[in-house]
Amino acid sequence: AAKDGGRGRHHFYAADLHSDAEERRLLEQDLRDALTHGGLELHYQPVVHTATERITGFEALLRWQHPTRGWMSPAKFIPVAEDTGLIAQIGEWALRTACHDLASWPDSVRVAVNVSPLQFANPALPAIITNALAAAQVDPARLELEITESVFLNDDATTDAMFKALKRVGVRLALDDFGTGYSSLGYLKNAPFDKIKIDQSFVRGATIAGSRNGAIIASIVSLAEALGMETTAEGVETLDELDLVRMLGCSHVQGYIYEQPLSVAVATQRLMTGLTAIARGPRAARAAR
Ligand code: C2E
Ligand code: MG
Ligand code: MG
Ligand code: MG
């Protein structure tokens, strides 16, 4: 039941007791509390250069230690944050925290931060990013923003102006979850992406070049190469998937085959043992036999 350590309300959540609306209202209150008193963390998943197996950077992923429900997935609380507008504050916190952590890592390491469509629609976003970079004294080229296709649902001229403003700030841009959203290739023509992230749904279980997923990955890679963009295969879990995305020419790989998202302390420790990544885990071992 409700526990109060002087840090605000902690709610009792029993699935049957609350309607969806009530559940969201309670989550919203607890998220506000987490922003003020702590509870949010960024975890960092290594991104590996396929050809050299060097760690080139990390993707920052939000984690929330909920006071009564334990670790909660961003898939659950990001939508609530978006509906309530709280994503603006959470997103700014994530940008500032990522820049702060990045400042303590080698210059060759980058960090990618996910930016929600609501943040992208905020004209103040370039200034928020500039301030976060300046506060941490980090080179803008070390920060990558991950944006999903849904930003293209908004007005063309506004979207275009935001892309230009972000490039003027000097950050890198990645198109996240490519192929799952509102897909029109038209926007790739003008949007200044540095990287396309191939969604896990195409990568998972893809082991044969001639399979449907293999064909989709190959065509995304050739499109990206023609446009001068890098590619990251997301969610690579097995050695067979790694072999395929390597053969198909994905420039970068991210997935449990190398590392899970790591706490900032473990990520820092990980960098001190060197930048070489090693494919491993039970599935790597099983596939290797
Ligand atoms: P995403 O940006 O596409 O992030 C990749 C997700 O795949 C992460 O889930 C990551 O933990 C997971 N993943 C990585 N490798 C593997 C793998 O080998 N196998 C499997 N099964 N999963 C893998 P996570 O951390 O639960 O995040 C889910 C989504 O929440 C993210 O998808 C992103 O859309 C959103 N999110 C996370 N952090 C933030 C944030 O700071 N801001 C915003 N706006 N959204 C965020
Ligand atoms: Mg992402
Ligand atoms: Mg993704
Ligand atoms: Mg996603």
Side-chain angles (χ1 to χ4, degrees), residues 59 114 146 176 197 234:
E59 178 176 2
N114 291 283
E146 296 196 2
D176 202 358
K197 301 193 74 178
E234 295 194 80

Side-chain angles (χ1 to χ4, degrees), residues 47 144 172-175 193-197 230 232 252:
V47 178
E144 188 166 82
R172 288 167 50 95
L173 299 173
L175 181 52
F193 289 111
D194 299 282
K195 174 182 270 188
I196 293 178
K197 301 193 74 178
E230 299 176 340
T232 296
H252 294 77

